[in-house]
Structures are given as C-alpha cells and as structure tokens.
Amino acid sequence: MNRADVPGLDKEIHHPTRLTVAAFLSGCAEAEFGAVRDYCGVTDSVLSKTVAALEKAGYVSVRKGYLGKRPRTWVALTLNGRQALATHLAALEALAEASRKAGASGTAHGGAGHDGEHGKS
C-alpha cells in the first residue's frame, strides 16, 4: 500500500503547518492570528500564506476587526475544513494501521529481520 492507495488523504491539509493550523482551529470556534502563529511556531508570513491556502480551499474563514483601536485578524475552521480534517486524520490512521499489519505479518519487503541474504543469518 502506498499513499496514493489511501482514499481521504487531503493534499490541502497534508502539509505539517496546514495540518497543525487545522487541528488547532478544530479545538475552538475561532482564534486570533497571533495565538495560531505562536502555537504553530511560525512567522507571520508563513502563517499568512498557510491561512491563504486553506482559505482558498474553503477550509478556513478569516475575519478582520479591531480590539480597541488595534486591528486584529481571527481565523476559524469552516464546516468543510472540519470535515476535511476528520477525513484526513481517518485516512492517516488507516494508513498507519495497514502499515502496522503489513509489518506484523511480514508482507513488507525488507522488513524487520530481513538480512538481504534469503534467510541466512
């Protein structure tokens, strides 16, 4: 089995930063841009590009406003984004489970214990 054989993997969420943003936002109704940036450990620029890509895919919404006199940006995971994240995580788990089973049954070529000498130890 390879990644292409796993239905549900989402190329828009698969990148680690995008996955982290989506997972973080899944835990709240919305989050202030700075809170998401700090949690993900990325720069404003990286998060801005990540949010733009997720927004283009329809997975996040962006709301701009003010907190007092200071401009703020809030980001929220849309319903489509929540569904895509759940599907992607289920696909990752299916991939991991299939891989564990293949490793345990010895159906993987070159697996643990394989010395490349056709049974010679």
Side-chain angles (χ1 to χ4, degrees), residues 55-97:
E55 186 177 29
K56 183 178 178 184
Y59 293 168
V60 300
S61 62
V62 177
R63 181 174 66 87
K64 294 186 180 278
Y66 287 86
L67 189 60
K69 293 183 179 184
R70 296 180 152 217
R72 291 286 186 252
T73 301
W74 291 271
V75 185
L77 197 60
T78 64
L79 180 58
N80 284 344
R82 290 178 187 280
Q83 291 170 340
L85 177 63
T87 300
H88 185 76
L89 292 175
L92 285 174
E93 184 55 42
L95 176 63
E97 181 63 22

